Amino acid sequence: DAGITQSPRHKVTETGTPVTLRCHQTENHRYMYWYRQDPGHGLRLIHYSYGVKDTDKGEVSDGYSVSRSKTEDFLLTLESATSSQTSVYFCAISEGGHVGEQYFGPGTRLTVT
Amino acid sequence: AQTVTQSQPEMSVQEAETVTLSCTYDTSESDYYLFWYKQPPSRQMILVIRQEAYKQQNATENRFSVNFQKAAKSFSLKISDSQLGDAAMYFCAYGKAAGNKLTFGGGTRVLVKP
């Protein structure tokens, strides 16, 4: 199994509070991704990173920011959480290039009340 | 933008029987990858099978095989000799070659009856 951990695994927070989710990898892969999973929508890309300090937006980036100061860590921040951000969040990693496949962390269930 | 469509929200199969999951995608690219991921109740996303668009031969991994029809933009997954442990959500995903991003379908839930 790819060495990917996410923390916390579960979190309940109130509307308007800031939340940071952490993804940590031990594979030294260049690419890291944050997805959210909601019923009927599969996984949707929030942000991704193609190197330290290099990030780009995905299809559902509004309300989220990311940072990557080290190869192994990719942080997802909700500056002011809203109920619509209640979801399961997955981190993924990839070697990139012509490899294609991504490997996923265990997920974080976030509930915004 | 690429889209991936899984038209079957749920499929049911008898243990030891075969089930086929459908996936269609939309792209103007000629070089790309297609994947099937499995998500059991544990929530972990597990790569099941991978297909490169430039390969005409259909990929196979043990009891899992695909039917890749490039012209029709269709990528179905066949699970043979279904086992109780195959019960899960299955997601089809598309990735442009060297694009490094995946687009996922909405998923198909597979139920396996003993």
Side-chain angles (χ1 to χ4, degrees):
Chain A
D1 289 344
I4 313 167
T5 56
Q6 293 183 228
S7 59
R9 294 292 312 280
H10 299 88
K11 186 170 181 66
V12 179
T13 191
E14 293 185 348
T15 298
T17 59
V19 176
T20 296
L21 308 183
R22 179 181 183 242
C23 177
H24 179 78
Q25 62 146 330
T26 59
E27 305 297 319
N28 201 36
H29 282 1
R30 177 182 176 189
Y31 292 85
M32 298 185 76
Y33 309 82
W34 278 108
Y35 292 90
R36 60 178 290 173
Q37 182 180 20
D38 304 290
H41 290 278
L43 279 79
R44 293 180 292 174
L45 183 64
I46 304 171
H47 282 282
Y48 69 103
S49 171
Y50 46 95
V52 173
K53 292 186 171 41
D54 293 323
T55 64
D56 205 351
K57 296 179 179 180
E59 61 177 300
V60 290
S61 60
D62 287 349
Y64 302 95
S65 62
V66 291
S67 65
R68 191 171 178 197
S69 59
K70 298 185 290 185
T71 299
E72 57 266 35
D73 290 326
F74 192 33
L75 304 181
L76 177 71
T77 298
L78 291 66
E79 299 290 347
S80 177
T82 67
S83 58
S84 64
Q85 294 175 312
T86 292
S87 187
V88 178
Y89 291 85
F90 285 95
C91 174
I93 65 174
S94 171
E95 292 181 73
H98 283 271
V99 174
E101 57 261 47
Q102 296 177 11
Y103 299 94
F104 287 80
T108 294
R109 180 176 293 280
L110 175 67
T111 302
V112 183
T113 61
Chain B
Q2 287 80 25
T3 57
V4 178
T5 302
Q6 293 179 247
S7 59
Q8 307 150 316
E10 187 174 284
M11 296 286 283
S12 182
V13 62
Q14 205 72 34
E15 197 175 6
E17 298 294 310
T18 296
V19 64
T20 299
L21 312 184
S22 301
C23 173
T24 58
Y25 57 94
D26 182 29
T27 184
S28 58
E29 304 290 331
S30 59
D31 192 13
Y32 50 87
Y33 301 93
L34 296 162
F35 307 91
W36 280 98
Y37 282 86
K38 171 185 177 182
Q39 186 180 43
S42 67
R43 209 168 61 196
Q44 181 70 49
M45 292 286 288
I46 302 165
L47 179 64
V48 175
I49 203 163
R50 173 181 189 262
Q51 175 80 43
E52 289 119 330
Y54 64 86
K55 289 187 177 179
Q56 293 188 341
Q57 185 173 4
N58 289 323
T60 299
E61 288 288 341
N62 300 314
R63 297 181 295 104
F64 298 87
S65 61
V66 298
N67 183 3
F68 173 47
Q69 301 289 328
K70 191 172 184 178
K73 297 180 183 175
S74 170
F75 183 59
S76 61
L77 175 70
K78 183 169 77 173
I79 307 174
S80 303
D81 185 25
S82 296
Q83 301 175 359
L84 296 177
D86 295 333
M89 285 289 290
Y90 287 81
F91 293 96
C92 178
Y94 164 95
K96 190 167 60 173
N100 302 308
K101 293 191 288 185
L102 295 182
T103 301
F104 286 83
T108 297
R109 183 176 303 280
V110 172
L111 305 173
V112 181
K113 297 179 180 179

